[in-house]
Amino acid sequence: MEPSAKYLYYPGCSLKGTGIAYEESLLTTFRLLELPIKELPDWNCCGATNYMSVSETSATLLAARNLALARQTGSRDLLAPCNACYLTLRKSQELVAHYPKIAHEVEQFLEQAGLPRLDSVRVRHVLEVLYTDVGVERLRELTVRRLQGVRMASYYGCQAVRPYGEVDDPHEPTRMDQILKAVGVDVVEYNLKTKCCGGALTGTIHDVGVRLNYILLKEAMRQGAQAIVTICPLCQFNLDAYQAEIRKQTGEPIDMPIFYLTQIVGWALGGDVRELGLHRAISGKKLIEQWFTVKKEAETYV
Amino acid sequence: MSEQRNGHVRIGVYICHCGANIADTVDVKAVAEYAATLPGVVISREYKYMCSDPGQELIQKDIEEHAINRVVVAACSPTLHENTFRGAAERAGLNPFFVQMVNIREHDSWVHSDREAATVKAKDLVRAAVMRVYFHKPLEKRRVPIHPEVLVVGGGIAGIHAALTVANSGKRVYLVEREPTIGGHMAQYDKTFPTLDCAACILTPKMSAVRAHPNITLWTYSEVVSVDGSVGDYKVVVKRKPRYVHEDLCVGCLQCIETCVYKDSKFDDEFNLGLSKRKPIYIPFAQATPKVVVIDPDACIQLKTGKCKKSCMEACVERGAIDFAQKETYEEIHVGSIIIATGFQTFDPRRMPQYGYGKYPNVYNTLEVERLVNASGPTSGQVITRDGRVPKSVGIVLCVGSRDENTNRWCSRVCCMTSLKLAHLIKEHTGAEVYIFYIDMRAAGKGYEEFYQRVLNEGVHFIRGRVAEITDWALDPSEAGKLVARVEDTNTGFVRRIPLDMVVLAVGLEPQPDAHEVQRMFGISCSLDGFFLEKHPKLAPAPTYTDGIFIAGLCHGPKDIPDTVMQAGYAAAEAIALADTGFFELEPNTAYVVEEECSGCKTCVPLCPYQAVTFNEEKQKAFINEVLCKGCGTCVAACPSGSIKQNLFEDEEIYSEIEGVLAYA
Amino acid sequence: MERQIRYQREADLEWAHRFTQHPGCERLLSCIQCGTCSGTCPLSIYMDITPRQVIAMVREGFRDDVLKSKTIWLCASCYACSVECPQKINITDVMYRLKREAIQNNVFPKRFPIPVLAQEFCEMVRRRGRNSEFWMVFRMALRSNPAILLSMMRTGWDLWRTGRLSMRMERIQRVNELQYIPAATKEVD
């Protein structure tokens, strides 16, 4: 094995597809923060919510393979930026820790597959790394340009703050707000921070999924937000992709950029539009163009 | 009477069925048969209820007729019936300390299900007791005299009632209250359920009676800071905080308040929970007892900076009651018993952010609404929301900080009735639609169910469901500008959104924040929930495991006013009975020093938690005060020369007991 | 008229008892039927029975009623109920368990896209190690309701032009390691 990076990056399927901008902005942000990061070789799908719906054991085995691979690299911190991946990997650790029967199955599988036994790999979320390992103050110091006067709502989605995580408080999370404020964004009050976006429902029971996202967007608007910042590829996708449809259905003038936290932080640290994937937005393109144009004078007021 | 007739030990063993409690799990017959084979055992019997009269007579008869001189009773816990069986032995002329109990109920039948194994365990325990009791010695109980005076800590309704009851029996009572006035939470309530008589009307006469009672010494704005001694003679130190006003000189004319340099009241009024303001010099409420002003040192300019023109002093120049130089003082008293009635605090609903308390101004807790509906409250009894509107729809959310694994697990018992009462009062004051969100309606009490019926018939909406969240975001035009409760109405199965102008959180009741410090200072225990622990949950709900200390009211657990008064009266009766008896019998299980063997190393002296061990400089030997010794055994174990021994726990007794347990049948 | 009565013989009490012993379902018997789960759930308003009723039915052994319900499939696993439950019941895990039993017993609502998606997803992941979003959605739609594809055209185009739609069939290198994972649909746990 080659020498290990501090952070082992577990992309999960979305960050290679619909959430590619998350990967781009994450890697850029980490580069700007000089945090060594490396992709987990030959990672497999975490299983997400779907696998758990079909087989608990198989779902755990699937997740366990990633944890075993992580151990092979020697890195302790497995970074899962997607909320679903984060929760699934942590949940599988809990299941192994609490249920000997499951632990036994996992052990057997890893042996058959020629993988090492599980060890204390820490599954981590981007928000938590930015908040804990880097720190709000450090981010404030490193900020080279500010999105002055831009009002944003922070949106966590569900799974990052729920039972298995330690990303933030499940009721009143504040860390994302703190980070956004530190890098110069005006953060609005937003009560739906941890309300579900519907996940895969937009693809299965479309009208229900879209309605949930309509509520999230509308409340953000009511609170005066011009954009929403997310930490999950599925949330970003759901909020971003269906705004045209919502406009058509409700007649409300919703056209709001939906960002990843790493895009906003990365921009503040000096990343450029393309390397942060800001050009991949579907909604709110006008505002994005307006905000993220590098003007000479814009940088002077830092 | 010879203690060991015929010069040798004759043991009687008695196995109790405890109805089915023991007999269902332990083969009592087999145990009795086995016990009969043990050395020294002359008689071995089993009986359905050993604690009953015929059961006790069985023992007495055997002592008299069969010259039994050691008794082993295998039954329940000795905390329950040790005295019963010692009494039986004593009545038959045997020294009561020749009785040994074996707990085959709590330690065996109740905790095991395998009958065979449980029977083996019972045999082991009985054998251990038989081998131990062989070495028992006759002991005498010690008597300590009881100081007739009683201390009551806490001046809420529990403390007030207890103090008056004890004082009426002719005993001197010290009533210590932390706040500037007595009255406690009850003084803040508006009406009381289920009869709707006003709390002030029934409470303030009792408060005045306390003040006027010749046998009561009332110390408000005071706290107990240390407690020493034991039953019969507790030495208590009380700190009297400076109120910067001489209690004996102030007549409660309140002119000082009027002339205070602060023209406007601008400090949160604690009594009205911040719903109104007061000045730095204030009286908590009109009927405060004593009716004496108090100065808040954190608000008063003179006390903070020393640079005030002191117009309050000018107003009081004739009486000269105001004294900025007043310092805290300490009083030391000796009392025979103590009644602790330190009350509770309400749950802080900020711990459940989903209900928006502290975020949405129109979300209240029940205590605040008590003040709001009260005619002498901050709005003179008008129910107006913080944004100045008369609410058209009000929701009362039950079980906020109760019945919840995430906050408090217990039912707070009074919130259902409080909510019914407030629903009635709010409806009466405003005509609003009132919704009560409940999980289970608990209206058990005299006249309570009838009151529930009354409120049902007044048209209050009872929605069975725990509110998931209170929000201010409207999904429907009808919700604009309102708070919305999202809840499953479990009666209809609908998930509902109910727009509300005012939300009342029926907050649960919790131990005082300093309950653990109080518990340690008085040497009593807390149950898992943090409330003070009673000696027995059914049969001794006011005494504690510490003799001479009783608990009353909500420091023991949530209860309503009638239950509080009953417990306070019961605690008072116990204290009176103790004082009237004049003495208390102590267990003889004290430690003693075998002087010849004591090397005078003083290891034991600082270890004693009861200050019972002293050092005799003249003899250079340790000395143990039997009255103070509680028999904890710390010094016995610590003594390097083995010269401290303990009655009922002599080495040979303990070693043979251990051998008995380990010798497999 | 359909008779709305449940005879006690219809209640599978043994199943109910076993249910409380599965991982995550242990605290089921603590439920006080307060409805916090239903009140919290963002999807309860679309459900045929509320999450609270699911728990009541499980506890009373009305197995077929819960397994056939749409409710369990509407659960998006957001865990809000589990966090809010005053009795710390892991309702999300209860829902997962019920979904699995419904699939194993083949009683889920047919042509309902969610269980179809779940199965397609598992098959793809177990064989290739990764999920290819485009193909998965495509196959799910074909099996449940091809009309969905029409409504997805606009989104598909938006994703395509922003470079977020990959048509590649993803696959891990050491796919052989996955053979030791039991075929999910056949396994009974």
Side-chain angles (χ1 to χ4, degrees), chain B residues 485-503:
Chain B
R486 194 182 205 266
V487 62
E488 181 188 14
D489 176 347
T490 65
N491 290 324
T492 62
F494 301 140
V495 174
R496 295 176 64 177
R497 288 175 58 93
I498 299 178
L500 301 164
D501 295 311
M502 180 182 199
V503 172

Side-chain angles (χ1 to χ4, degrees), chain B residues 188-429:
Chain B
Q188 291 175 298
Y189 301 157
D190 179 44
K191 303 269 167 54
T192 53
F193 58 77
T195 44
L196 297 179
D197 29 4
C198 105
C201 310
I202 55 176
L203 178 66
T204 48
K206 291 188 81 121
M207 289 162 62
S208 325
V210 165
R211 178 75 169 149
H213 207 294
N215 289 341
I216 297 180
T217 303
L218 173 61
W219 287 331
T220 54
Y221 217 42
S222 305
E223 279 174 59
V224 173
V225 289
S226 78
V227 180
D228 281 315
S230 56
V231 56
D233 186 18
Y234 284 107
K235 189 181 88 183
V236 180
V237 178
V238 177
K239 177 170 93 178
R240 307 206 59 201
K241 294 177 279 188
R243 57 203 301 156
Y244 306 103
V245 173
H246 289 291
E247 247 179 68
D248 45 344
L249 297 177
C250 175
V251 291
C253 71
L254 313 185
Q255 283 187 10
C256 49
I257 301 178
E258 231 158 81
T259 55
C260 173
V261 293
Y262 277 100
K263 286 294 158 247
D264 299 317
S265 304
K266 56 174 288 196
F267 302 97
D268 277 355
D269 178 344
E270 294 87 351
F271 187 75
N272 282 331
L273 304 140
L275 292 169
S276 67
K277 304 286 175 191
R278 60 159 172 80
K279 293 184 179 179
I281 186 163
Y282 68 102
I283 185 158
F285 58 102
Q287 298 84 14
T289 305
K291 199 181 178 193
V292 171
V293 296
V294 57
I295 299 176
D296 174 358
D298 296 326
C300 171
I301 295 179
Q302 176 63 21
L303 288 169
K304 274 166 70 184
T305 66
K307 289 177 192 150
C308 182
K309 63 177 189 177
K310 295 178 274 189
S311 35
C312 53
M313 266 182 118
E314 284 165 32
C316 195
V317 71
E318 264 174 54
R319 303 212 157 263
I322 294 171
D323 176 7
F324 287 108
Q326 204 174 48
K327 293 271 175 294
E328 63 189 26
T329 57
Y330 292 86
E331 308 269 359
E332 189 183 305
I333 51 175
H334 287 261
V335 294
S337 59
I338 299 171
I339 296 171
I340 299 177
T342 46
F344 65 100
Q345 69 172 349
T346 50
F347 173 79
D348 179 1
R350 283 181 193 84
R351 284 171 61 194
M352 296 176 76
Q354 62 267 44
Y355 290 156
Y357 182 86
K359 182 156 107 187
Y360 305 127
N362 293 342
V363 178
Y364 293 80
N365 68 31
T366 29
L367 211 50
E368 290 165 336
V369 177
E370 291 278 359
R371 296 312 301 149
L372 224 47
V373 294
N374 190 293
S376 57
T379 55
S380 306
Q382 278 186 289
V383 179
I384 308 173
T385 56
R386 285 197 173 93
D387 55 6
R389 287 180 295 156
V390 176
K392 291 195 182 70
S393 61
V394 178
I396 304 179
V397 182
L398 274 162
C399 300
V400 179
S402 302
R403 305 185 69 193
D404 180 358
E405 289 280 337
N406 301 306
T407 55
N408 297 325
R409 297 180 64 184
W410 57 87
C411 165
S412 293
R413 281 189 64 194
V414 299
C415 332
C416 282
M417 289 306 293
T418 302
S419 299
L420 290 176
K421 174 190 75 180
L422 291 177
H424 165 85
L425 293 173
I426 290 168
K427 219 170 162 55
E428 188 182 71
H429 284 51

Side-chain angles (χ1 to χ4, degrees), chain C residues 38-107:
Chain C
S38 321
T40 307
C41 178
L43 294 156
S44 56
I45 49 177
Y46 300 101
M47 291 171 173
D48 44 3
I49 49 177
T50 66
R52 172 191 58 86
Q53 288 170 323
V54 166
I55 293 177
M57 286 180 180
V58 170
R59 225 158 47 165
E60 288 305 307
F62 295 114
R63 178 171 166 274
D64 293 349
D65 295 85
V66 270
L67 291 189
K68 283 177 186 158
S69 74
K70 291 205 173 69
T71 295
I72 56 178
W73 294 105
L74 276 164
C75 168
S77 311
C78 81
Y79 291 86
C81 50
S82 305
V83 171
E84 301 302 337
C85 175
Q87 294 302 321
K88 291 197 169 159
I89 300 168
N90 195 336
I91 299 147
T92 313
D93 277 1
V94 172
M95 294 293 179
Y96 272 134
R97 172 85 213 166
L98 290 168
K99 289 179 205 179
R100 294 197 291 273
E101 291 202 12
I103 287 184
Q104 282 155 19
N105 293 289
N106 212 24
V107 291

